Amino acid sequence: MVLSLPHLLVASGPVLRRGTGRKRPADMLVAAIRVYQREVSARRPACCRFSPSCSAYAVEALTHHGAARGGWLTIRRLTRCRPGGPRGYDPVPR
């Protein structure tokens, strides 16, 4: 059987597995972070020590690396985000 379309369809929204109608775990985590960004973070003054912000870092890590590695990278980043800790530009590793 030859498929003319890629296994995963990528659109502006979350990535859906073809034929299942289910979201990947990383997509569900990204959706939760987007709610946090819209409902909580938007109402507070900016105080992030890093660039990009921790929530933007988490979205990028989950999108590029998936739930397991992206989640681990996010947890690592959040533990570094504390008073007296480092600051500055901290991109998601490729």
Side-chain angles (χ1 to χ4, degrees):
M1 179 173 135
V2 177
L3 295 175
S4 61
L5 295 175
H7 180 66
L8 296 177
L9 297 176
V10 179
S12 61
V15 177
L16 296 177
R17 290 178 190 230
R18 190 174 174 140
T20 63
R22 294 184 335 172
K23 295 180 184 179
R24 300 181 314 151
D27 296 327
M28 292 183 278
L29 292 170
V30 167
I33 293 168
R34 295 283 187 210
V35 170
Y36 164 80
Q37 287 175 329
R38 186 179 60 246
E39 302 297 328
V40 177
S41 184
R43 291 173 171 70
R44 298 178 62 193
C47 62
C48 194
R49 303 178 63 79
F50 292 107
S51 175
S53 68
C54 290
S55 60
Y57 181 96
V59 168
E60 187 176 345
L62 291 166
T63 302
H64 285 64
H65 296 290
R69 178 152 169 77
W72 170 247
L73 291 170
T74 299
I75 290 169
R76 249 185 45 196
R77 167 71 177 268
L78 290 171
T79 60
R80 291 192 313 252
C81 191
R82 56 181 164 64
R87 59 177 50 220
Y89 182 64
D90 182 27
V92 175
R94 298 286 172 201

